[in-house]
């Protein structure tokens, strides 16, 4: 592992001098009984930094400039006791940051799991937190979501074997729409729809698994340079989405120094993920999963849903619907399903009408949470 930061020499405080002198006098037999007593630990000793592993493929690794933006955002918010770790060095982003990472270009998460590649990387870096955006190459290779999620199970078990208290932030992947893969856009949506339920089953109080929605609001036309890999705009969005979830794991801080329009709040966040259930001529049924990605409980949530292709939400269950003239639907919790513990989720269903023939249902969904009183 390569550490790009300056070497810090240990400080010696005045209060630690008696213990230092005692150690120097010991060979001469000049210790007094009081000095010979065990000295208390030096209160100025710094705590070990929190070790954070960015894990994934080329979206994470090369050059992975969202990591640089995230690192500096955390530093500016007061989270200075951190160490990005990985067996790979910085990979080309020209921004000063701690560039260690585990973003291997071209890797499939299913191959990493089946070939047992992760344990050695964990042993070399010993992360406390893993920030994982992994599965894009699997989607491109038409690997089924069941196999990808099984690989997630394998990697999570290996992480917990390395560190039983490890915390994992797992991304719902950014969209992809490469010229050579017309089906990839829907495949990403299909996988993302399954990730919240996987995380809920994998989550424990000792080793939490938190979903971070990197899909909603990300546009391959403006936020990537090739339909897959983020450009500067995409890097900003990815860093902004990771920040509140990661800051919540690190504890309170002065706040996010990013733009006021950045999504989420450093201590109170939720995500909403849209999933198509069935389609017919002129309409479709869908489900939206709401998850509390905060480190604290919430007592309510509101989802702003913007259906694609002129669709209009006409009916909702397990939520309260308000519709705007432009087709935007606002769905609030139904009361009984508003309170969510950290990592907990709930869902509401909907019916939408479409003006044209059958099409793949899609919608962007943003979530706002209400703090528990």
């Amino acid at each position: 592992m390569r550490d790009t930061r300056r070497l810090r020499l240990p400080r010696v405080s005045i209060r630690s001098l008696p213990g230092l002198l005692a150690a120097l006098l010991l060979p001469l037999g000049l210790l007094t009984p009081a000095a010979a007593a065990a000295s208390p630990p030096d209160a100025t000793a710094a705590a070990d930094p929190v070790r954070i592993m960015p894990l994934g493929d080329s979206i994470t690794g090369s050059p992975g400039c969202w990591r640089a933006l995230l690192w500096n955002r955390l530093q500016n918010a007061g989270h200075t006791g951190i160490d990005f770790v990985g067996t790979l060095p910085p990979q080309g982003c020209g921004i000063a940051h701690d560039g260690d990472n585990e973003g291997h270009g071209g890797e499939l998460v299913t191959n990493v799991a089946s070939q047992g590649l992760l344990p050695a990387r964990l042993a070399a870096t010993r992360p406390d937190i893993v920030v994982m955006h992994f599965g894009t190459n699997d989607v491109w290779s038409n690997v089924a979501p069941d196999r990808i999620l099984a690989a997630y199970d394998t990697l999570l078990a290996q992480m917990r074997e390395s560190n039983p208290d490890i915390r994992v932030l797992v991304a719902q992947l950014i969209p992809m729409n490469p010229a050579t893969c017309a089906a990839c856009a829907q495949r990403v949506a299909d996988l993302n729809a399954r990730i919240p339920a996987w995380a809920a089953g994998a989550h424990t109080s000792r080793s939490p698994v938190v979903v971070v929605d990197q899909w909603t609001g990300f546009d391959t036309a403006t936020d990537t340079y090739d339909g897959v890999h983020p450009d500067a705009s995409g890097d900003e969005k990815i860093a902004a989405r990771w920040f509140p979830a990661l800051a919540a794991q690190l504890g309170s801080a002065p706040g996010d120094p990013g733009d006021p329009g950045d999504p989420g709040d450093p201590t109170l966040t939720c995500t909403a993920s849209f999933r198509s259930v069935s389609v017919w001529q002129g309409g479709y049924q869908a489900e939206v999963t709401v998850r509390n990605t905060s480190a604290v409980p919430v007592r309510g949530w509101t989802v702003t849903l913007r259906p694609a292709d002129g669709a209009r939400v006409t009916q909702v269950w397990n939520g309260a619907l308000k519709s705007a003239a432009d087709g935007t639907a606002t769905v609030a919790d139904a009361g009984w399903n508003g309170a969510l513990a950290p990592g907990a989720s709930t869902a509401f269903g909907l019916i939408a009408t479409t003006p044209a023939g059958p099409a793949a249902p899609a919608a962007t969904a943003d979530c706002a949470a209400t703090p528990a009183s």
Side-chain angles (χ1 to χ4, degrees), residues 305 313-321 329-332 348-351:
L305 198 65
V313 177
T314 58
Q315 181 183 347
V316 163
W317 53 95
N318 299 336
L321 172 65
T330 302
V331 181
F348 65 86
L350 63 91
I351 299 293

Side-chain angles (χ1 to χ4, degrees), residues 18-281:
L20 178 59
L21 292 173
L24 292 173
L25 293 172
L26 179 59
L28 303 177
L30 299 178
L31 287 179
T32 65
S39 300
D42 185 358
T44 65
D48 290 337
V50 178
R51 303 168 69 84
I52 302 167
M53 173 190 280
L55 174 63
D57 45 44
S58 59
I59 292 172
T60 295
S62 53
C65 287
W66 63 260
R67 291 183 287 105
L69 299 173
L70 177 60
W71 167 264
N72 284 288
R73 180 168 293 194
L74 290 165
Q75 295 290 303
N76 294 336
H79 296 293
T80 56
I82 59 174
D83 181 12
F84 277 14
V85 299
T87 60
L88 298 176
Q91 298 182 49
C93 186
I95 303 173
H97 69 294
D98 184 350
D100 300 324
N101 71 95
E102 211 64 68
H104 295 256
E107 277 196 340
L108 281 68
V109 68
T110 47
N111 287 348
V112 172
S114 64
Q115 297 172 18
L117 300 179
L118 186 61
R121 299 170 184 176
L122 293 168
T125 56
R126 300 175 291 105
D128 302 299
I129 300 174
V130 172
V131 174
M132 186 173 84
H133 185 287
F134 216 169
T136 298
N137 290 309
D138 303 79
V139 170
W140 205 333
S141 301
N142 199 19
V143 177
D146 283 344
R147 287 185 57 201
I148 297 173
L149 296 177
Y152 283 11
D153 283 331
T154 299
L155 266 56
L156 181 60
Q158 292 167 347
M159 293 174 196
R160 287 172 171 167
E161 184 175 356
S162 170
N163 178 1
D165 299 306
I166 201 161
R167 290 161 280 170
V168 181
L169 306 184
V170 59
Q172 289 176 292
L173 305 182
I174 62 172
M176 60 184 297
N177 190 24
T180 57
C181 182
C184 280
Q186 185 59 47
R187 291 178 196 164
V188 172
D190 292 343
L191 173 62
N192 282 343
R194 299 277 302 277
I195 288 176
W198 172 84
H203 179 90
T204 68
S205 58
R206 181 174 182 179
S207 175
V209 178
V210 177
V211 177
V212 177
D213 181 5
Q214 292 286 0
W215 187 84
T216 301
F218 195 100
D219 187 344
T220 56
T222 59
D223 299 327
T224 73
Y225 60 82
D226 60 357
V228 180
H229 298 89
D231 56 18
S233 171
D235 285 326
E236 289 282 359
K237 288 186 177 182
I238 293 172
R241 287 296 173 102
W242 282 128
F243 175 84
L246 186 51
Q249 295 298 320
L250 295 170
S252 60
D256 183 357
D259 296 333
D262 285 342
D265 178 270
T267 58
L268 194 66
T269 58
C270 61
T271 61
S273 54
F274 176 92
R275 179 178 71 90
S276 172
V277 176
S278 60
V279 184
W280 55 86
Q281 185 74 27

